[in-house]
Amino acid sequence: MTNQLESLRAYTTVVADTGDVQAMRTYRPTDATTNPSLILKAVQLDAYRPLLETVLRDHPDAGPATLTDHLLIALGCEILRIIPGRVSTEVDARLSFDTQASIERARRIIGLYAQQGIGRDRVLIKLASTWEGIQAARILESEGIHCNMTLLFSLPQALACAQAGATLISPFVGRIYDWHKKAAGAEWDESARSGANDPGVESVERIYRYYKAYDIPTEIMGASFRNIGQIRALAGCDLLTISPELMGQLAADTEPLSTRLTVESAKAQPPEWMASNEVAFRTELNQEAMATEKLAEGIRVFTADALKLDALLAAPRTA
Ligand code: E4P
């Protein structure tokens, strides 16, 4: 009997949101995404100890930034041996407000992949959807380096990414849900705000409708899920990146699953056209408390995990 993970593949490209290659062998995603928190988690798995040791042994004099890049590439190459599609490798969150430094780091990552025989078409450079990150993407895309714009919580961010010609955006669902749930406190009504009425799902659907109505080619990959109801409500989205735990729940569910998002329905009721420029981006993002706070918090959390990774890479040398 077909399960929901299989049914979903008929409408949407399934992506694994993990650095754990064992999970990829189990669930056979097309693409895979990582982020600083997932990398930190993955390198602490016993299965990755040899890879970590090899990176440290091969680059004895490298500083933390270079070591991290070598580690990201080693992990990315492991992942690419299993999946048929693309791996997303994230630029250091500490560069989120520095366009030039982000460009240089992205070029270095692509160069290191090339040394391993991995072409640009198999890598997405993940950048925070700050104004500076989006400008970095504009330059990188003009050089044929494909970008995945992350920490995206709002339509103004999505519009600026489209205008920059980003290959893909990752609008978050779960962190939007978290914010609204926390803000509502005791007033939160889980059943009234689930599935299609989940605030995170609504945000992705709004972006999907806008992009499809105006034939924007940037791919939309829903990310950051807290439950499978959110995933089911976004069936039909271009791609969805899903944790192994939630892929397991979908694989265990044999209820029929149909598509909810379609290009036809988006085109039937086109939303109003919106201009996108730096002033509009900053003004409209600032108007959305949730998106402003979650973007800032996301950069802080990824920065904290990048610092932990630096310490972990330095530890064997100082021990
Ligand atoms: C993937 O690209 C995102 O980094 C990931 O989905 C974030 O998920 P989280 O909100 O559960 O950390």
Side-chain angles (χ1 to χ4, degrees), residues 17 33-35 37-38 90 126 148 150-151 170 172 174-175 178 221-226 241 302:
D17 200 14
T33 53
T34 59
N35 66 34
S37 308
L38 292 173
E90 193 152 340
K126 252 176 121 179
N148 167 356
T150 190
L151 295 176
S170 292
F172 280 39
R175 295 190 194 190
D178 298 341
M221 177 169 69
S224 170
F225 292 105
R226 299 290 174 261
T241 185
F302 285 163

Side-chain angles (χ1 to χ4, degrees), residues 230-249:
Q230 294 170 335
I231 297 167
R232 287 195 286 243
L234 289 173
C237 192
D238 302 336
L239 310 93
L240 296 175
T241 185
I242 308 173
S243 67
E245 188 199 344
L246 295 181
M247 280 198 273
Q249 289 181 27

Side-chain angles (χ1 to χ4, degrees), residues 128-140:
S129 300
T130 54
W131 181 255
E132 294 77 9
I134 296 168
Q135 300 323 300
R138 180 193 299 281
I139 307 288
L140 292 166

